[in-house]
Amino acid sequence: MFVAKELRKKSIAEYLLYMWQIEDTIRAYGCSLTRIRKEYIDQFQYTNEQKEEEEDWFGDLVRMMNQEGCREGGHLQINKVLMQDLTELHAQLLQSSKFPFYSAEYYRVLPFIVELRGKTKRTADKMARTNDERLKTVAAQLGKSEIETCFDLLYGVMMLRLQKKEITPETTRALNEITTFIGMLSDYYIKDKTEGLDFGEE
C-alpha cells in the first residue's frame, strides 16, 4: 500500500506494473490473508500500525479478487479501468496535433507491438491446431489494446529479471523503446490529472 501510494503519484505505469505484481503475489499465497501477513508483510520493517494498514489493504484486494473471479488469473477491475484510461489518453494524444513527439515515439514502437501481436497470433494458431487447452488464455491476448500489449512486455521482462533469466538482444531493444514510449504516456497521464492537457479541441 505504501509503495503503491508513492508510485501512483510519480509514475502511473510503474504503479500499474506494481499492482499486477501484487495480484500475482496474492495468488502466490493462495489468496490467504493469514499467509500474506505472516509470510509477506511481516518481513518488512513496518511498525505494527503500518502492518495493520498493509494487511487491511491486502484484505481489500483479496476480497476483490475473490468477488471478481481473479484468483487464478486476470486483473482487478480497478487495474482494468486504469488501463482503459491510459488507452483512451493514448488515442487522444495521437489524434491531437499538439503532441508530435509522442506520435513519433508511438510510430517508433509500432513495429515492436506488431511483432509481439504476431507472435501471440502464431502461438494461438499453433495451439488451435493441436487443441491445446491453454488456447483460450492465449487467444484473449489478441483482443488487448496496443497499450496493454506494451505493459505485457514490460511485466514479462520484469518477471524474467526477478527470476534471473536471460533476456535476448531483440527483447532488450523492444524493451528500451517501449519503456520510453510508456514513460511518455505515464508522464502525460499524471500531467493530465494534475494540470490538464490541452489537446487543441474547440
Side-chain angles (χ1 to χ4, degrees):
M1 176 187 84
F2 303 110
V3 173
K5 274 185 180 176
E6 286 307 306
L7 287 176
R8 184 147 194 155
K9 284 186 251 177
K10 76 174 186 119
S11 170
I12 206 65
E14 288 180 42
Y15 167 80
L16 191 53
L17 291 168
Y18 177 76
M19 289 303 294
W20 283 9
Q21 187 178 14
I22 290 295
E23 290 170 341
D24 281 344
T25 299
I26 290 169
R27 288 184 195 108
Y29 290 106
C31 295
S32 165
L33 190 56
T34 305
R35 283 190 63 204
I36 291 168
R37 173 64 194 246
K38 286 181 183 170
E39 299 172 38
Y40 184 75
I41 297 171
D42 283 350
Q43 69 180 311
F44 295 101
Q45 300 297 315
Y46 292 145
T47 64
N48 285 336
E49 186 180 325
Q50 288 174 319
K51 286 180 181 181
E52 293 298 323
E53 285 182 59
E54 193 80 355
E55 186 176 1
D56 288 346
W57 183 68
F58 270 98
D60 289 341
L61 293 174
V62 168
R63 182 180 42 76
M64 286 189 277
M65 287 177 74
N66 286 326
Q67 289 173 345
E68 296 175 23
C70 296
R71 286 180 65 93
E72 303 297 319
H75 298 299
L76 288 168
Q77 196 60 36
I78 55 171
N79 296 330
K80 288 180 184 176
V81 167
L82 188 51
M83 181 61 71
Q84 185 60 39
D85 289 348
L86 287 168
T87 300
E88 289 170 9
L89 176 60
H90 165 69
Q92 286 180 291
L93 291 166
L94 286 181
Q95 288 167 2
S96 173
S97 60
K98 294 203 166 205
F99 304 95
F101 294 112
Y102 181 83
S103 294
E105 190 59 37
Y106 166 69
Y107 287 110
R108 209 173 352 269
V109 302
L110 189 56
F112 297 115
I113 295 170
V114 170
E115 186 180 336
L116 287 167
R117 289 177 158 213
K119 284 180 181 176
T120 303
K121 172 91 171 71
R122 287 189 297 279
T123 301
D125 290 345
K126 184 178 175 185
M127 292 171 102
R129 285 193 298 276
T130 60
N131 289 323
D132 192 309
E133 59 193 41
R134 296 167 298 162
L135 174 61
K136 188 176 176 184
T137 307
V138 172
Q141 304 282 325
L142 296 171
K144 291 183 175 181
S145 72
E146 292 173 330
I147 299 304
E148 193 162 356
T149 298
C150 291
F151 272 87
D152 283 343
L153 173 74
L154 295 175
Y155 189 72
V157 170
M158 188 171 89
M159 292 298 102
L160 288 173
R161 284 181 172 158
L162 286 173
Q163 296 163 18
K164 302 201 179 336
K165 291 189 177 171
E166 190 178 336
I167 298 158
T168 66
E170 298 83 27
T171 301
T172 301
R173 205 163 38 256
L175 177 71
N176 291 339
E177 290 294 342
I178 286 174
T179 299
T180 300
F181 170 63
I182 292 298
M184 289 177 80
L185 178 61
S186 182
D187 290 346
Y188 280 128
Y189 178 89
I190 299 287
K191 187 172 184 180
D192 191 38
K193 293 297 178 195
T194 56
E195 304 167 27
L197 289 174
D198 176 11
F199 293 100
E201 298 160 350
E202 295 301 315

